[in-house]
Amino acid sequence: MRTLVLNAGYEPLAVVSFKRALVLVMNDKATVIEHITDNPVWGTDGAHDRPAVIILTRYVRVPGGRTVPVTRRGVLRRDGHRCAYCAKAASTIDHVLPRSRGGADSWENLVACCLKCNNLKSDRTPQEMGWDLRFLPGAPRGAQWTVRGTDRTDPAWEPYLELAA
């Protein structure tokens, strides 16, 4: 069981275990907004509902702008596991501008690609192949990218994650 932690300004901060969330609530550092009524936690002072969403009582300053690190899994997830050239199921990633020509490992230069298109394209650019990208690649945005653990969301979290998007 996992719990979404919101900052005092209702921005999503993190996903923690329900045990950690319960400790924050019991120490008056957070308040429960949404809870799961079935399967309560029993303590010395009675039963407690498992928290699904909690909000911190004090605002926590988040350092700098959160940047999403570039990873193979992230590129595939951003592109919906679909090839940027033919829209078939993608299992690899491709550098739009090949690395041998100075192409960087960046969100703007990496796209999901099927094995066939990746092998055909080889060390060329899409323009040299006469291909078009289905979309302009860029860094992903939204709470599901900056808050760790929100890739597998709980239905109770949806309204709070939509506020941050």
Side-chain angles (χ1 to χ4, degrees):
M1 301 297 286
R2 300 171 318 136
T3 302
L4 177 65
V5 179
L6 304 176
N7 209 343
Y10 281 85
E11 69 177 289
L13 280 182
V15 176
V16 298
S17 69
F18 86 91
K19 291 178 185 178
R20 175 72 179 132
L22 214 50
V23 168
L24 288 170
V25 170
M26 291 180 159
N27 288 330
D28 294 325
K29 293 185 179 190
T31 307
V32 178
I33 296 178
E34 301 276 340
H35 52 81
I36 302 168
T37 54
D38 60 331
N39 199 7
V41 178
W42 290 91
T44 56
D45 57 346
H48 299 278
D49 291 332
R50 292 177 186 258
V53 180
I54 61 172
I55 186 166
L56 298 177
T57 53
R58 299 178 129 210
Y59 187 81
V60 174
R61 189 177 160 280
V62 180
R66 291 184 179 179
T67 58
V68 182
V70 180
T71 62
R72 179 182 177 280
R73 185 180 357 189
V75 171
L76 289 169
R77 189 173 140 216
R78 178 199 64 188
D79 299 350
H81 293 273
R82 291 283 162 207
C83 180
Y85 305 112
C86 69
K88 291 183 181 170
S91 58
T92 64
I93 60 171
D94 178 57
H95 290 79
V96 178
L97 177 64
R99 280 194 299 191
S100 63
R101 298 186 187 188
D105 289 335
S106 66
W107 286 110
E108 293 76 20
N109 192 46
L110 291 171
V111 292
C113 190
C114 69
L115 196 57
K116 181 179 177 184
C117 288
N118 205 346
N119 286 334
L120 282 173
K121 182 177 169 285
S122 185
D123 194 27
R124 295 177 285 226
T125 65
Q127 292 80 16
E128 292 171 348
M129 295 293 295
W131 293 355
D132 290 324
L133 285 169
R134 294 185 309 114
F135 59 89
L136 188 62
R141 296 192 178 107
Q144 67 271 20
W145 291 95
T146 55
V147 181
R148 292 186 77 154
T150 56
D151 49 336
R152 295 174 292 139
T153 63
D154 186 298
W157 302 353
E158 296 300 327
Y160 306 100
L161 293 175
E162 288 172 6
L163 291 173

